[in-house]
Amino acid sequence: MANTAQAKKRVRQAEKSRQRNVGQRSTVRSAIKKVVNTLATGDQAQSQTALTAAVPVIDAMARKGLIHKNKAARHKSRLNQRLRALSATA
């Protein structure tokens, strides 16, 4: 348990940060899930719109350090790859 004033403050700050990160992580996951779901329906235009909306969200979380930049690039690449595959079959 934290004994010093500094340690107690750090505990408060860490909890605040954790709460904020949970919400932001949820936002990223929702954006990715939305793209995946639209890809599953096969609607190319809607999938493109969802991907266009998701990319800035993913980039922002990478900039803030919530996810690693390589993970952000991997997500964007895989989603884009699936969108290209969908357009190739259509």
Side-chain angles (χ1 to χ4, degrees), residues 6-88:
Q6 178 184 2
K8 289 176 184 175
K9 181 178 179 180
R10 289 302 299 165
V11 168
R12 289 193 310 268
Q13 288 176 329
E15 180 58 22
K16 245 192 208 176
S17 176
R18 188 188 71 79
Q19 292 288 338
R20 185 169 42 248
N21 288 344
V22 166
Q24 291 178 340
R25 198 174 298 117
S26 174
T27 303
V28 173
R29 288 177 180 158
S30 295
I32 291 169
K33 229 176 268 185
K34 190 172 184 181
V35 177
V36 170
N37 290 339
T38 57
L39 284 166
T41 63
D43 186 359
Q44 185 182 352
Q46 200 173 12
S47 297
Q48 179 64 49
T49 306
L51 181 63
T52 305
V55 167
V57 174
I58 295 169
D59 286 337
M61 294 308 119
R63 253 193 329 273
K64 292 178 181 181
L66 194 69
I67 59 174
H68 195 274
K69 65 176 185 165
N70 291 354
K71 182 174 181 172
R74 183 174 65 241
H75 275 301
K76 292 188 301 185
S77 175
R78 287 180 181 171
L79 291 172
N80 200 24
Q81 185 178 19
R82 287 177 67 178
L83 181 64
R84 284 196 317 267
L86 179 68
S87 63

